[in-house]
C-alpha cells in the first residue's frame, strides 16, 4: 500500500508537468508477466519536490532513449557509429535544455593483443565450477555457472542490417565523450557525477550494456535541465566512452580534471569549470535480472518478480566508508521512491567506470546483478552477445531500469538540494 505522503493533491501549477506520467502509472501493473495485482494509483505529493521530479520518469520515454541509442548498433569505440552516437547524445542533451554541454578529448591506442592460452577460463564448458571461487571485485561465486565472454564473430548476428552497421572495425586515435552540467545556485563549486557508458561490443545493439545505463543518465539530465528545477549543488551527467576497453574514458577524465576541482575560473566570476567531486554514481547493465542459470545452463525467460537493483561499492577502496554511506543513501531513496523493485547493497564493485574514482571520492555502481558473482557467472546470457538488441527485452525488463532511475534520481535530488518552482 502506498504511504500517506503520496496522497497529497498536486498544486495546480504542477499539474501540467506531472499529468503526462500519472495516467500511465495508474494503468501499469507492477510487473509485466504472470498474474499480478494492479499497481495502486500514484498520487504525487506536491510538498515533496523529489517526488515531483521522480514522477517525471516515464517507461515510454526511457525505452525511446534506449531505442535511440541502438540506432548506432553496438557503438564500438573508434568507429564512425560511435562518433555519430556521441553527436546524437549531445544533440539530445541540448534539446532538453542542458546548455552546459562539453566534451572530453583523449587518445586511445590499444596495446597489442595477448594470445589466450588453450584451456583458459574462457574455454571452460558450461556449468563447470570455477577453479577459483573468488569472483572479480571480491565475493564468492556460488551455484550454477555458465560460460561468459565477448562475441567477436559477425556471423553469429543473424540480422544482416545490423551486421553491416557493426562491420567497421575500431581504429586507434582520438576519442571523445560528452557531458552536461546542471549548475548549482548556492554551491556551484561542488558536484555529484552521474555516469553511464555509451560504447558497447558483441555485434548486437548494446541495448542493455549499456544503452540502459546511458538512458538513465540522459533521462535524469532531461529532468534536472528543466528551468523549474533548481539545485543548490551542481550535477554532472557523464556519458563515458571506452568503458569496454578498460574504463579508458573515465580514466582520461580523472587524469585531466582531478587537479582542476574547485578552482574558480576566471577568479571572481563565481564559475567553476570542474566543481569539487562529492560522489560518483555509475549505471551499467540495468535491465536483466531473470535469476541464476538452471541446471541445464538455460536462463528463465521472464524477469523474476523479486528482481532488484544492485548497488555496489568497493570495500577495498580508500573511500570505502564514504562509498558505503552513499550506497545506503541510494538504498533509502529506492525504498521511498522506486515503484516496483527493491535495492540491495553489496561491497564488491568492479569493472565499471566508477572504479577510477573509488580511491578519490565516494563511488558506487548500479547494476541489474552483482558484477562479479552474478554477471560473471552467466546470469545475463546477452552480455556482450549478438542478442543484446532492443527486441530481446520486455517491458518487465525495461521497468527494472526505470526503477534504477527512480532510485538515483531520488537520492541525487536530495543530495543536491533540488527544488521545483510552483
Amino acid at each position: 500500500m502506498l504511504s500517506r505522503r503520496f496522497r497529497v493533491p498536486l498544486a495546480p501549477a504542477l499539474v501540467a508537468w506531472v499529468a503526462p506520467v500519472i495516467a500511465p502509472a495508474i494503468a501499469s501493473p507492477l510487473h509485466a508477466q504472470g498474474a499480478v495485482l494492479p499497481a495502486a494509483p500514484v498520487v504525487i505529493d506536491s510538498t515533496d519536490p523529489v517526488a515531483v521530479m521522480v514522477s517525471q520518469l516515464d517507461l515510454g520515454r526511457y525505452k525511446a532513449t534506449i531505442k535511440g541509442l541502438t540506432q548506432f548498433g553496438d557503438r564500438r569505440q573508434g568507429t564512425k557509429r560511435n562518433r555519430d552516437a556521441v553527436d546524437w547524445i549531445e544533440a539530445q542533451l541540448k534539446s532538453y535544455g542542458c546548455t552546459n554541454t562539453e566534451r572530453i578529448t583523449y587518445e586511445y591506442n590499444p596495446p597489442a593483443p595477448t594470445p589466450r592460452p588453450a584451456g583458459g577460463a574462457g574455454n571452460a564448458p558450461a556449468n563447470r565450477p570455477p577453479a577459483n571461487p573468488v569472483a572479480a571485485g571480491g565475493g564468492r561465486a556460488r551455484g550454477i555457472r555458465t560460460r561468459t565472454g565477448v562475441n567477436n564473430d559477425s556471423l553469429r548476428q543473424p540480422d544482416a542490417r545490423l551486421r553491416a552497421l557493426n562491420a567497421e572495425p575500431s581504429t586507434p586515435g582520438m576519442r571523445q565523450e560528452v557531458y552536461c552540467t546542471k549548475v548549482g545556485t548556492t554551491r556551484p563549486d561542488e558536484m555529484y557525477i552521474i555516469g553511464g557508458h555509451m560504447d558497447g561490443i558483441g555485434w548486437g545493439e548494446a541495448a542493455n550494456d549499456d544503452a540502459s545505463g546511458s538512458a538513465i543518465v540522459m533521462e535524469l539530465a532531461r529532468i534536472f535541465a528543466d528551468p523549474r528545477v533548481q539545485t543548490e549543488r551542481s550535477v554532472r551527467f557523464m556519458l563515458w566512452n571506452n568503458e569496454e576497453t578498460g574504463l579508458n574514458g573515465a580514466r582520461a577524465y580523472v587524469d585531466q580534471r582531478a587537479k582542476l576541482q574547485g578552482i574558480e575560473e576566471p577568479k571572481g566570476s563565481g564559475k567553476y569549470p570542474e566543481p569539487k567531486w562529492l560522489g560518483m554514481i555509475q549505471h551499467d547493465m540495468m535491465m536483466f535480472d531473470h535469476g541464476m542459470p538452471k541446471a541445464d545452463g538455460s536462463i528463465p525467460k521472464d524477469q523474476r518478480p523479486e528482481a532488484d537493483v544492485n548497488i555496489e561499492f568497493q570495500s577495498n577502496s580508500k573511500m570505502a566508508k564514504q562509498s558505503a554511506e552513499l550506497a545506503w543513501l541510494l538504498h533509502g531513496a529506492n525504498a521511498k521512491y522506486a515503484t516496483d523493485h527493491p535495492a540491495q547493497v553489496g561491497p564488491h564493485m568492479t569493472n565499471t567506470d566508477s572504479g577510477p574514482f573509488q580511491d578519490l571520492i565516494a563511488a558506487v555502481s548500479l547494476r541489474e546483478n552483482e558484477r562479479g558473482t552474478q554477471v560473471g557467472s552467466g546470469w545475463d546470457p546477452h552480455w556482450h552477445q549478438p542478442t543484446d538488441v532492443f527486441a530481446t527485452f520486455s517491458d518487465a525488463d525495461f521497468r527494472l531500469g526505470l526503477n534504477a532511475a527512480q532510485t538515483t534520481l531520488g537520492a541525487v535530488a536530495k543530495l543536491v538540494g533540488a527544488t521545483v518552482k510552483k
Side-chain angles (χ1 to χ4, degrees):
M1 181 178 291
L2 291 172
S3 62
R4 293 182 183 274
R5 61 183 162 78
F6 284 102
R7 300 190 178 277
V8 178
L10 279 173
L14 293 175
V15 170
W17 201 42
V18 301
V21 299
I22 292 178
I26 293 174
S28 298
L30 283 172
H31 301 285
Q33 88 279 347
V36 296
L37 294 174
V42 177
V43 180
I44 310 304
D45 180 358
S46 64
T47 66
D48 180 0
V50 179
V52 173
M53 292 175 67
V54 171
S55 75
Q56 286 301 291
L57 289 166
D58 172 72
L59 184 64
R61 285 172 171 162
Y62 177 58
K63 289 172 62 178
T65 304
I66 294 174
K67 184 67 173 175
L69 286 160
T70 63
Q71 70 183 293
F72 305 102
D74 63 12
R75 305 180 299 283
R76 183 184 293 262
Q77 53 78 32
T79 63
K80 183 179 183 298
R81 61 187 181 276
N82 178 276
R83 294 187 292 273
D84 289 346
V86 172
D87 290 343
W88 181 83
I89 291 168
E90 183 173 35
Q92 291 296 111
L93 294 173
K94 289 181 176 178
S95 74
Y96 303 153
C98 199
T99 55
N100 294 297
T101 304
E102 301 178 66
R103 296 191 184 195
I104 294 288
T105 300
Y106 60 97
E107 288 282 325
Y108 175 65
N109 296 296
T114 302
R116 169 173 276 173
N123 299 316
N127 307 331
R128 176 180 174 180
N132 184 353
V134 177
R140 182 179 174 185
R142 300 173 186 269
I144 298 170
R145 298 186 69 194
T146 60
R147 182 182 303 171
T148 62
V150 178
N151 172 61
N152 291 309
D153 182 359
S154 65
L155 297 181
R156 290 188 60 202
Q157 175 51 258
D159 185 335
R161 179 199 64 81
L162 193 50
R163 281 202 309 273
L165 180 60
N166 288 336
E168 181 194 0
S170 173
T171 57
M174 185 191 76
R175 303 286 189 267
Q176 289 190 320
E177 55 196 10
V178 65
Y179 64 89
C180 76
T181 308
K182 176 77 171 186
V183 178
T185 56
T186 60
R187 297 305 303 267
D189 57 326
E190 298 178 343
M191 75 172 177
Y192 285 87
I193 302 172
I194 314 302
H197 72 90
M198 50 75 63
D199 65 313
I201 51 178
W203 288 86
E205 291 177 334
N208 190 26
D209 188 13
D210 184 34
S212 66
S214 293
I216 289 175
V217 178
M218 294 175 68
E219 282 297 280
L220 266 60
R222 174 181 65 81
I223 293 168
F224 275 95
D226 191 291
R228 286 165 289 191
V229 174
Q230 298 293 312
T231 63
E232 295 173 1
R233 292 182 171 90
S234 299
V235 191
R236 179 156 292 172
F237 304 93
M238 287 291 320
L239 285 307
W240 308 111
N241 208 343
N242 276 92
E243 190 273 352
E244 300 290 7
T245 58
L247 322 180
N248 302 94
R251 296 185 196 280
Y253 182 90
V254 171
D255 290 344
Q256 292 182 27
R257 311 293 294 184
K259 294 181 180 179
L260 304 177
Q261 292 181 69
I263 298 175
E264 189 179 27
E265 184 64 38
K267 197 165 183 64
S269 66
K271 296 181 179 180
Y272 297 84
E274 193 65 31
K276 179 183 177 182
W277 306 340
L278 299 180
M280 197 301 209
I281 303 171
Q282 173 69 5
H283 303 82
D284 196 338
M285 299 175 65
M286 298 307 321
M287 300 195 301
F288 194 92
D289 187 5
H290 291 209
M292 181 186 293
K294 299 178 182 178
D296 62 359
S298 65
I299 302 292
K301 179 182 177 182
D302 295 323
Q303 189 80 282
R304 56 181 185 154
E306 66 272 21
D308 52 28
V309 177
N310 289 87
I311 306 166
E312 295 187 280
F313 67 97
Q314 180 45 255
S315 60
N316 290 330
S317 68
K318 294 179 181 178
M319 301 295 286
K321 181 177 182 294
Q322 294 86 341
S323 298
E325 290 173 353
L326 179 58
W328 283 111
L329 190 147
L330 283 154
H331 185 277
N334 170 276
K336 188 171 185 179
Y337 296 110
T339 52
D340 305 290
H341 295 287
Q344 295 292 334
V345 172
H348 304 303
M349 182 182 79
T350 187
N351 293 74
T352 194
D353 287 306
S354 43
F357 294 86
Q358 69 183 25
D359 290 330
L360 304 174
I361 58 172
V364 299
S365 171
L366 274 66
R367 285 186 185 268
E368 61 195 17
N369 290 297
E370 293 182 0
R371 168 59 180 84
T373 60
Q374 296 177 351
V375 176
S377 294
W379 286 38
D380 187 339
H382 311 296
W383 181 39
H384 297 160
Q385 298 302 309
T387 52
D388 188 2
V389 297
F390 186 89
T392 291
F393 303 98
S394 70
D395 275 4
D397 297 320
F398 290 114
R399 194 174 296 281
L400 179 61
L402 185 70
N403 275 244
Q406 293 168 336
T407 299
T408 299
L409 178 52
V412 173
K414 286 284 189 183
L415 288 167
V416 301
T419 57
V420 181
K421 291 182 180 178
K422 298 182 178 180

